[in-house]
Amino acid sequence: AQSVTQLDSHVSVSEGTPVLLRCNYSSSYSPSLFWYVQHPNKGLQLLLKYTSAATLVKGINGFEAEFKKSETSFHLTKPSAHMSDAAEYFCVVSEQNSGTYKYIFGTGTRLKVLA
Amino acid sequence: NAGVTQTPKFQVLKTGQSMTLQCAQDMNHNSMYWYRQDPGMGLRLIYYSASEGTTDKGEVPNGYNVSRLNKREFSLRLESAAPSQTSVYFCASSAPGRVYSPLHFGNGTRLTVT
């Protein structure tokens, strides 16, 4: 069965410093992996997705994620945090089962950016 | 582009009342989903519809029913609301059959049951 673990429920960084949000997954097959961002009182926006074309995936707003199969990880990074990055981030794994795609969410990491 | 549209945005119910949350997508997606979001628990799947005419239970279906009215619309009904159903509800759609197809979300419905 597929599952997702986001290792930190809260992360605080100073503006201009690097961001690392950690995600480990469990999947029986080759997974589809995604990161979503949710700003306060807003819906969920796709940041990036793993397509198997490359292990390093670039997303919007300067975010990247690296797929490491040996470590079953898909950590999200950004070289320099901006105040507008303060939000909740969700790692998602998707797997096909009998023709149906199911999406399993991690419990989220709330990112705080300090001035 | 409208994408996924949910109505209403906010709703307050008394225990025992019923209501239907509406969702429509204009992306010609086959699959549609209803999630609920509670603090510290991420998003949990209530029901999904892999294609028009089919619906299946997700992780937390108790107390809910769904209808896939047509390819565009997927509604969620609470027959007798309970305080435990206070949550933010999100509808989403995707295009299965396309590898690595992401979910596309509506803006959510914030429901309070008193």
Side-chain angles (χ1 to χ4, degrees):
Chain A
Q2 49 185 328
S3 65
V4 176
T5 302
Q6 292 185 241
L7 297 163
D8 306 291
S9 59
H10 293 82
V11 170
S12 291
V13 301
S14 296
E15 190 176 22
T17 64
V19 176
L20 170 63
L21 305 183
R22 298 182 295 167
C23 173
N24 286 104
Y25 69 91
S26 171
S27 177
S28 303
Y29 307 102
S30 295
S32 299
L33 292 159
F34 310 88
W35 276 99
Y36 284 83
V37 60
Q38 184 182 31
H39 288 94
N41 299 313
K42 299 291 186 184
L44 283 84
Q45 181 185 16
L46 180 68
L47 267 181
L48 50 79
K49 64 180 180 181
Y50 169 65
T51 64
S52 81
T55 56
L56 183 62
V57 182
K58 294 186 184 298
I60 61 172
N61 300 335
F63 284 93
E64 295 181 343
E66 186 170 8
F67 174 71
K68 292 188 177 180
K69 187 174 181 179
S70 61
E71 299 177 10
T72 61
S73 69
F74 190 55
H75 300 336
L76 183 69
T77 61
K78 183 173 181 178
S80 177
H82 191 272
M83 297 298 288
S84 61
D85 295 328
E88 189 153 24
Y89 293 80
F90 293 96
C91 183
V92 181
V93 64
S94 172
E95 196 174 76
Q96 185 181 14
N97 185 4
S98 302
T100 300
Y101 284 78
K102 288 190 177 179
Y103 299 80
I104 306 299
F105 283 74
T107 52
T109 299
R110 188 168 297 279
L111 176 65
K112 187 174 182 178
V113 182
L114 307 171
Chain B
N1 290 335
V4 179
T5 303
Q6 289 183 238
T7 56
K9 293 189 189 316
F10 302 94
Q11 184 71 50
V12 179
L13 293 177
K14 295 186 187 302
T15 297
Q17 288 184 319
S18 62
M19 78 161 297
T20 299
L21 282 65
Q22 306 286 354
C23 176
Q25 53 91 9
D26 62 2
M27 294 173 285
N28 202 36
H29 286 168
N30 284 329
S31 295
M32 298 185 73
Y33 307 79
W34 276 105
Y35 287 88
R36 59 177 288 172
Q37 182 179 26
D38 303 291
M41 303 189 76
L43 274 75
R44 292 180 294 167
L45 182 64
I46 305 171
Y47 270 93
Y48 65 99
S49 171
S51 60
E52 186 178 355
T54 69
T55 60
D56 285 288
K57 295 178 181 179
E59 184 184 354
V60 288
N62 291 344
Y64 305 96
N65 285 302
V66 291
S67 295
R68 183 73 184 267
L69 304 169
N70 48 55
K71 190 172 185 177
R72 291 187 64 246
E73 298 173 288
F74 188 39
S75 62
L76 179 71
R77 183 160 178 83
L78 286 70
E79 291 291 353
S80 179
S84 60
Q85 294 178 305
T86 293
S87 187
V88 181
Y89 291 85
F90 286 99
C91 178
S93 68
S94 72
R98 294 172 53 191
V99 179
Y100 308 111
S101 176
L103 284 169
H104 298 260
F105 285 91
N107 286 328
T109 296
R110 189 174 295 273
L111 174 67
T112 302
V113 183
T114 61

